[in-house]
Amino acid sequence: MAHYPPGSSYGPRPLRDFELVWVLRGSARWTVTDSHGGARELDLRPGSLALARPGMVDVYRWDDLRPSAHAFVHFEVDHATAADPETWPLTRPFAGHAPLEALCRYLLDLASIGAAQRTRSDQIVELVLDLFVSGPLPRALSPVRVSPVVVPALRHVRSVWEAEGVRAVSVAELAHAASTSSGHFSRSFSQTFGCGPVSALELVRLGRAAMALQRSNLSIAEIARLHGFADPYHFSKRFASVYLSPPGRFRRREDGDDGTLAPLADRGLIGLWGMLVGDREP
């Protein structure tokens, strides 16, 4: 790691090997000139991962107002097996990309142990570079701009499901939690998530039910009851209309793709799933 007081600069510096840099605090204006004389200026902020290549000349101008810090690692690449480095990206955001974020944190942990972990560090750098250049990286969940009208209703649903069990929540109940009218709440919800609250919450309940079908020994009747459906027949009918397969057949599928969240992903509701079921705060 390197630390800089406000207003510091570094460079011009000719690169003789590869270097990955990720900003931990503050920010930097990074100017890079390639071997052909082409220059680019890029802003680096916490969550930015930058890749400098041999033959480049770079300059860092660090944050004028606050101290900055970055982590870095130098390495070489086997050009006999590597694709043309000139085509590689210079920067990627890694905040929100769980694999890159975790691997970079792990590299820092290994550095604190010392040279004894050099082999492991080399392996991690190789993986980070491969992900940085080629991916595939899971798409980072972009922040969902939830209307202030909708936030208290989502918190209400989450608290109800945690305290009472998963059940259907009416528009009237949602609107009451949001201290607004049913019509205004429905419009605000649809503007945020692209569909009405009843349909969206049912898809989340069905997603949880699909997960239970794939990963539990609960009977279909128990799954129906635990996810707020009046009876197994009603549950099976609603499940088949969304997953295009009755619950029993869905549970028995052996194609290697459980498909539990596919309907939510298709409708752009993974963010809502995270707020109601996962670890994202509404």
Side-chain angles (χ1 to χ4, degrees):
M1 289 175 56
H3 300 264
Y4 299 91
S8 298
S9 63
Y10 177 47
R13 173 191 63 160
L15 271 295
R16 295 179 174 82
D17 55 12
F18 290 87
E19 182 186 41
L20 278 168
V21 171
W22 58 103
V23 178
L24 303 172
R25 290 187 298 278
S27 64
R29 187 71 171 170
W30 186 41
T31 304
V32 292
T33 304
D34 62 28
S35 57
H36 306 295
R40 293 182 62 183
E41 289 191 352
L42 302 107
D43 288 317
L44 303 181
R45 301 184 182 280
S48 299
L49 187 59
L51 174 63
R53 302 189 291 263
M56 284 182 168
V57 176
D58 66 2
V59 176
Y60 288 89
R61 292 183 178 83
W62 293 96
D63 200 310
D64 288 328
L65 302 178
R66 52 189 169 169
S68 299
H70 75 88
F72 63 96
V73 57
H74 288 266
F75 58 94
E76 295 180 351
V77 170
D78 181 359
H79 290 281
T81 59
D84 181 8
E86 294 292 327
T87 66
W88 293 355
L90 288 172
T91 63
R92 275 192 189 275
F94 76 93
H97 289 299
L100 277 179
E101 201 165 11
L103 289 169
C104 288
R105 190 178 300 117
Y106 185 40
L107 275 174
L108 282 176
D109 292 340
L110 290 174
S112 69
I113 296 173
Q117 297 299 324
R118 176 61 185 270
T119 299
R120 179 66 72 205
S121 296
D122 289 348
Q123 293 169 340
I124 299 303
V125 169
E126 184 176 0
L127 180 54
V128 169
L129 179 65
D130 189 32
L131 289 171
F132 182 95
V133 173
S134 304
L137 286 171
R139 185 174 60 185
L141 285 176
S142 57
V144 179
R145 295 182 180 180
V146 181
S147 165
V149 173
V150 176
V151 170
L154 296 183
R155 290 175 178 164
H156 173 73
V157 172
R158 185 159 184 150
S159 65
V160 165
W161 286 0
E162 289 174 353
E164 303 175 18
V166 178
R167 63 169 173 83
V169 182
S170 69
V171 173
E173 184 179 347
L174 294 167
H176 179 74
S179 301
T180 188
S181 69
S182 295
H184 182 55
F185 176 79
S186 293
R187 287 190 296 273
S188 298
F189 189 99
S190 296
Q191 288 168 358
T192 298
F193 294 108
C195 66
V198 172
S199 297
L201 294 185
E202 184 186 65
L203 282 170
V204 174
R205 289 191 293 130
L206 287 169
R208 290 182 61 138
M211 198 76 73
L213 286 167
Q214 288 285 338
R215 305 191 65 83
S216 82
N217 293 326
L218 292 168
S219 69
I220 291 175
E222 288 174 306
I223 290 171
R225 178 180 60 81
L226 290 172
H227 293 87
F229 292 91
D231 53 61
Y233 173 77
H234 178 59
F235 167 63
S236 296
K237 185 176 179 181
R238 296 304 304 143
F239 189 92
S241 70
V242 170
Y243 284 86
L244 307 180
S245 172
R249 187 185 303 163
F250 183 85
R251 168 171 267 176
R252 294 189 298 270
R253 62 192 294 178
E254 298 177 353
D255 56 8
D257 177 13
D258 64 21
T260 51
L261 298 185
L264 287 149
D266 290 344
R267 293 162 175 81
L269 294 174
I270 291 296
L272 178 64
W273 169 272
M275 292 177 207
L276 297 180
V277 178
D279 58 0
R280 302 186 73 188
E281 279 294 318

